[in-house]
Amino acid sequence: MFPEKFSCIFGGKMDRAEYYLSCLADLALPRSCPVCGRQLGARENHLCIYCAADFPFTHFWTSSHNPMADRLNGMIGRNMPGGNPCYEPYSFANALFFYHGESGYRKIPQGLKYRKRFGEGRYFARLLADRTFAPEWFSDVDMVIPVPLHWRRKWQRGYNQAEIIAAELAGTKGCALETKLLERRRHTVTQTRLDVDEKGRNVAGAFRAVPYAGFRKSPSHILLTDDVFTTGATMTACHRALRDFFGSGIRISAAALGFVDSG
């Protein structure tokens, strides 16, 4: 038996027939661990037993005030008029795992973003969803909005990876998925090599909320979703666009697969 804390990684029990079918499927189409590249066994679900054992969970879902939420709220405060967030509802935040540039676990969001590993991406998005909606501070989320791509980048890639994650979150919660309201109106350069201030300037004013025909939803708690949360600059720019559109009466929070620990 696998330890209980890894049951979410390896899935439920298999009967003998399911086990042999899984073995046959792996002979025809071998699966590999996205982190280390080892071939997966029949009872291993997306991660090998070794990488599952070392999975760097953030456990941010155990506290409403955590490093990701502190970073996001700090960025929101810095970017508000006068730097005064006195009226701003606190933004909750959650991420599934710690993302490090040298770690093999970075390949999880990269596989979704660049290699179209949709099944794998949805699987980890469901793990994120299960942990995000367990605590009571996310219980009133009634709309999930992915961070949008510029139309040119989405056309080149063919999809927005944040939408795939957002769909799993919305489906788990049973709430609205909104992919048309928030748009990226300016094509920005990649954030990879920019420092915190440069990232903020790069995405400042890059997003806007534009109502479309038929939009009549009035949410009380929006969950912004992306693949990786780094400085919070992108989420903050999206937050500002939604705040300008909806006013101060709603809460806007955030969720991502990976969290970059700058400390």
Side-chain angles (χ1 to χ4, degrees):
M1 294 292 292
F2 296 116
E4 183 178 352
K5 68 177 181 177
F6 302 135
S7 62
C8 61
I9 300 292
F10 290 97
K13 294 180 179 179
M14 280 185 175
D15 61 28
R16 184 173 296 182
E18 289 173 327
Y19 174 76
Y20 287 128
L21 285 173
S22 180
C23 290
L24 288 172
D26 284 341
L27 284 174
L29 293 171
R31 299 171 299 129
S32 61
C33 175
V35 176
C36 69
R38 288 190 184 92
Q39 186 170 331
L40 296 178
R43 296 184 185 276
E44 293 175 325
N45 196 2
H46 292 288
L47 287 178
C48 72
I49 188 172
Y50 306 104
C51 293
D54 291 331
F55 196 79
F57 287 114
T58 65
H59 297 283
F60 287 165
W61 49 89
T62 64
S63 175
S64 60
H65 289 64
N66 55 56
M68 181 174 169
D70 289 344
R71 188 180 300 175
L72 177 60
N73 283 278
M75 286 288 293
I76 291 169
R78 286 173 55 187
N79 287 275
M80 289 183 64
N84 182 11
C86 60
Y87 73 90
E88 182 62 37
Y90 187 81
S91 291
F92 302 119
N94 187 36
L96 182 63
F97 66 93
F98 288 107
Y99 180 105
H100 298 287
E102 303 303 317
S103 168
Y105 295 95
R106 75 187 188 284
K107 298 175 185 176
I108 293 172
Q110 288 177 353
L112 174 61
K113 187 173 183 177
Y114 300 117
R115 299 180 61 191
K116 300 183 179 181
R117 299 184 73 157
F118 300 132
E120 185 180 287
R122 292 187 183 101
Y123 175 76
F124 288 103
R126 286 194 295 274
L127 297 186
L128 171 65
D130 290 343
R131 285 154 180 75
T132 297
F133 298 122
E136 55 88 18
W137 47 88
F138 283 113
S139 63
D140 61 341
V141 168
D142 53 358
M143 181 178 289
V144 180
I145 298 180
V147 170
L149 288 178
H150 188 267
W151 69 266
R152 190 188 312 161
R153 186 165 294 171
K154 187 174 182 180
W155 178 78
Q156 291 170 341
R157 189 175 297 165
Y159 62 97
N160 177 4
Q161 72 280 359
E163 289 185 11
I164 294 170
I165 298 167
E168 293 300 323
L169 286 158
T172 298
K173 186 68 172 66
C175 65
L177 171 66
E178 180 53 66
T179 63
K180 295 167 63 178
L181 177 68
L182 188 63
E183 66 178 32
R184 189 184 293 248
R185 60 180 178 178
R186 179 163 53 81
H187 186 69
T188 55
V189 301
T190 180
Q191 302 266 77
T192 306
R193 293 182 175 83
L194 304 181
D195 63 25
V196 175
D197 291 333
E198 289 171 335
K199 287 178 179 179
R201 289 192 294 269
N202 186 43
V203 295
F207 302 93
R208 65 179 175 184
V210 180
Y212 56 88
F215 179 80
R216 291 182 174 83
K217 303 179 182 72
S218 181
S220 61
H221 190 168
I222 291 172
L223 185 66
L224 273 168
T225 308
D226 207 356
D227 54 346
V228 177
F229 183 98
T230 309
T231 64
T234 299
M235 287 283 196
T236 299
C238 291
H239 181 286
R240 180 63 185 273
L242 291 171
R243 177 61 71 224
D244 289 345
F245 180 78
F246 285 109
S248 60
I250 64 168
R251 189 185 300 276
I252 304 170
S253 295
L257 287 181
F259 172 77
V260 178
D261 186 1
S262 59

